[in-house]
Amino acid sequence: SLIADQKSLSKVAESLGHTTSMVSKQIKQLEQEVGAELVHRSTRGLRLTTAGEKLLPEVSGRVGQA
């Protein structure tokens, strides 16, 4: 997963060819759909939560698709 590998929202967005805000909105939308935090955001970057790791196979292709 780009999030697990890159650990940076801006790097994930750059890899996908999208803006940081677009990728952030998509992640938030996924979190709302599943009712759980999927990514822990901090000043040190991103890391998947336990829920994010469990759902990764199902949602990995959705972030970055418009």
Side-chain angles (χ1 to χ4, degrees):
S1 124
L2 281 174
I3 292 171
D5 296 339
Q6 300 286 342
K7 298 185 172 95
S8 163
L9 190 60
S10 60
K11 288 181 182 178
V12 170
E14 184 179 328
S15 295
L16 294 170
H18 295 294
T19 64
T20 302
S21 63
M22 180 180 169
V23 174
S24 180
K25 286 177 188 178
Q26 289 180 329
I27 292 169
K28 287 178 185 179
Q29 181 181 2
L30 284 171
E31 290 176 329
Q32 289 176 347
E33 286 179 25
V34 300
E37 181 183 42
L38 302 176
V39 177
H40 176 73
R41 299 155 180 87
S42 73
T43 56
R44 294 184 177 194
L46 303 175
R47 69 175 170 80
L48 293 173
T49 63
T50 302
E53 290 174 4
K54 288 180 182 177
L55 290 172
L56 180 61
E58 294 179 42
V59 300
S60 62
R62 292 186 57 187
V63 173
Q65 294 179 352

